[in-house]
Amino acid sequence: MAVRTMLNNFQGKPTDTPFIEKNGWLGDANVGLDMFNFNFNLNQLLTKFVGDMNDGQLENGDVPVMVPRADNWNSGAVDVAVWNTLFINCPTSLWNIYGNKTLLTEQYDKMRALALKQIADSKSHGWTWYDDQYADWVSPMGSVGSDYKERPPEGAAICGTAYVYKAL
């Protein structure tokens, strides 16, 4: 069932749903990266997807939470570690699994820019990621507030911090 679900979500890029919006949310791909690579040879698809992230990266190092963007919903990048660390984690995964070093060498400076921004952001919060982000936003124990921000009881900072440390 998991393999069928993954196949349904590959629409030229990893998506979060095969029937609603078909946007390339980076968080879904980041969380499922190991599972994707275990079940499929995604070297070419993920190489192209990292290229989309590269095209969307802003001068300050941020990468949008979804690429490519089909509309103006996400016109600016949002610094959300669980989402945009895919820009670092994916090339590393492609190197570890397929021996593909191309993205690491070609995009090192841009990956470094994101990493340095995340180091600075983490340092300004006591070396943890800040709590007001998507992160584990669909936690089964989360509560839904009036602004529809689902949060786990322990907060979102734990998940965000873990992804920043993994990327570094």
Side-chain angles (χ1 to χ4, degrees):
M1 182 190 253
V3 171
R4 213 171 0 174
T5 300
M6 286 184 282
L7 283 173
N8 285 334
N9 284 332
F10 293 137
Q11 306 290 323
K13 62 188 175 281
T15 67
D16 66 335
T17 176
F19 63 92
I20 297 176
E21 59 187 38
K22 295 186 178 112
N23 286 317
W25 289 98
L26 303 188
D28 299 271
N30 207 4
V31 170
L33 186 61
D34 292 335
M35 182 174 62
F36 294 163
N37 282 315
F38 179 79
N39 287 285
F40 304 103
N41 181 341
L42 297 177
N43 190 21
Q44 290 180 339
L45 183 135
L46 292 175
T47 297
K48 186 255 185 223
F49 195 48
V50 172
D52 294 339
M53 290 180 246
N54 179 47
D55 292 344
Q57 188 176 27
L58 298 180
E59 288 184 25
N60 71 354
D62 277 341
V63 175
V65 294
M66 112 179 52
V67 297
R69 296 186 312 263
D71 56 26
N72 205 24
W73 178 88
N74 183 31
S75 59
V78 180
D79 197 10
V80 181
V82 178
W83 272 245
N84 64 14
T85 56
L86 181 66
F87 189 57
I88 298 168
N89 294 337
C90 191
T92 304
S93 179
L94 294 175
W95 173 46
N96 289 332
I97 294 169
Y98 306 110
N100 181 349
K101 294 181 185 179
T102 305
L103 292 172
L104 290 174
T105 56
E106 289 178 357
Q107 304 202 118
Y108 176 80
D109 291 337
K110 288 194 162 205
M111 293 165 55
R112 184 175 185 270
L114 175 61
L116 289 174
K117 183 170 188 319
Q118 291 183 330
I119 289 169
D121 289 348
S122 293
K123 184 178 180 181
S124 71
H125 290 96
W127 294 108
T128 60
W129 201 249
Y130 53 93
D131 198 37
D132 187 26
Q133 61 174 318
Y134 301 145
D136 190 9
W137 73 281
V138 291
S139 169
M141 297 303 292
S143 60
V144 180
S146 61
D147 59 353
Y148 194 68
K149 288 186 177 180
E150 297 178 3
R151 296 285 187 254
E154 69 279 2
I158 293 171
C159 192
T161 301
Y163 272 85
V164 169
Y165 279 64
K166 178 182 178 182
L168 301 177

